[in-house]
């Protein structure tokens, strides 16, 4: 019932476009009557009022403000086709009362809204295509990084792992250029103090810290957090959380 009234209004608009003097036909009157009945049914109160002061007399149907306004709107719209002169004078008076220079035609407004809806749908389709293209490029880039650094595990956060792989490749390239150390394929240094690249990989969940590295990171995390956590609490958080605490503290320093 809720969707029937807009459908009937659309039918009446299209028929007026196709048939000349459609407003004078019996079908137009039947459509207007059906539209009014649907509106009354949707706006009708749950229970009909009963006139207790005068029992036995027939109760009059109570019309709401919306129903009365809709009836006037329907009658005025029909005047636009049956008697344009009266409709023009009536429109002028309404505009004077409202202090407006023009009144929007419901049919024109519906067509404008339909155009806006189509434009919005086209824009959504364009955005969806652009997003799909970006996702394809992202997956190709992450796949290339996974092939370049296969020793780093793929954790839940694919972007964080990808950034860790980029940082590791950059560090290894700098080492190879300076000749200070041989190039390694995975961040598994034997030093007790982990490198920034190893911390980034651990924060992404791509690698696990060794026992010595974990002990050093626990002590470092306790210092940078102002001893807010005990060693047991930090170990329970896991290597990724400990590494993130240290990296965040270094960034904010």
């Amino acid at each position: 019932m809720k969707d029937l009234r807009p459908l009937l209004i659309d039918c009446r608009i299209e028929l007026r476009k196709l048939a000349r003097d459609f407003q004078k036909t019996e079908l137009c009157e039947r459509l207007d009557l059906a539209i009014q009945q649907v509106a009354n049914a949707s706006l009708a109160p749950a229970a009909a009022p009963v006139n207790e002061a005068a029992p036995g007399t027939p109760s009059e149907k109570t019309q709401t403000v919306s129903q009365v306004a809709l009836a006037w709107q329907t009658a005025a719209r029909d005047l636009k086709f049956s008697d344009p002169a009266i409709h023009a004078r009536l429109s002028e008076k309404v505009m004077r009362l409202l202090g407006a220079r023009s009144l929007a035609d419901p049919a024109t407004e519906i067509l404008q809204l339909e155009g806006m809806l189509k434009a919005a749908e086209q824009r959504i389709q364009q955005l969806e295509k652009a997003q799909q293209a970006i996702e394809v490029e992202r997956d190709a880039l992450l796949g290339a990084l996974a092939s370049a650094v296969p020793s780093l595990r793929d954790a839940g956060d694919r972007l964080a792992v990808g950034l860790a792989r980029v940082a590791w490749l950059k560090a290894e390239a700098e080492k190879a250029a300076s000749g200070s150390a041989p190039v390694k394929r995975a961040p598994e240094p034997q030093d007790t103090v982990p490198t920034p690249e190893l911390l980034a990989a651990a924060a992404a969940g791509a690698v696990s810290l060794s026992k010595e590295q974990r002990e050093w990171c626990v002590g470092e995390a306790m210092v940078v957090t102002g001893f807010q956590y005990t060693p047991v609490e930090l170990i329970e958080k896991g290597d990724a959380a400990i590494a993130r605490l240290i990296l965040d503290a270094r960034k904010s320093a």
Side-chain angles (χ1 to χ4, degrees), residues 45-73:
V50 178
N51 189 357
E52 298 180 354
T57 59
S59 59
E60 296 182 356
K61 184 178 180 180
T62 304
Q63 301 290 344
T64 64
V65 175
S66 300
Q67 290 173 332
V68 174
L70 180 61
W72 274 100
Q73 182 186 35

Side-chain angles (χ1 to χ4, degrees), residues 44-117:
V50 178
N51 189 357
E52 298 180 354
T57 59
S59 59
E60 296 182 356
K61 184 178 180 180
T62 304
Q63 301 290 344
T64 64
V65 175
S66 300
Q67 290 173 332
V68 174
L70 180 61
W72 274 100
Q73 182 186 35
T74 304
R77 188 182 298 115
D78 291 339
L79 279 176
K80 182 176 182 180
F81 299 96
S82 61
D83 200 330
I86 296 178
H87 182 270
R89 292 197 299 271
L90 183 61
S91 298
E92 291 177 359
K93 187 170 184 179
V94 171
M95 286 187 289
R96 285 197 302 270
L97 293 173
L98 295 176
R101 295 184 178 181
S102 61
L103 295 177
D105 188 356
T108 304
E109 188 177 0
I110 291 175
L111 294 176
Q112 291 176 349
L113 291 175
E114 289 178 351
M116 294 172 60
L117 178 60

Side-chain angles (χ1 to χ4, degrees), residues 143-180:
L145 290 172
S147 300
V149 190
S151 298
L152 286 179
R153 298 191 305 268
D154 287 327
D157 191 346
R158 298 175 59 197
L159 181 59
V161 175
L163 293 175
R165 283 172 172 151
V166 170
W168 180 253
L169 289 174
K170 181 179 178 181
E172 294 303 315
E174 293 175 352
K175 291 178 182 179
S178 61
S180 59

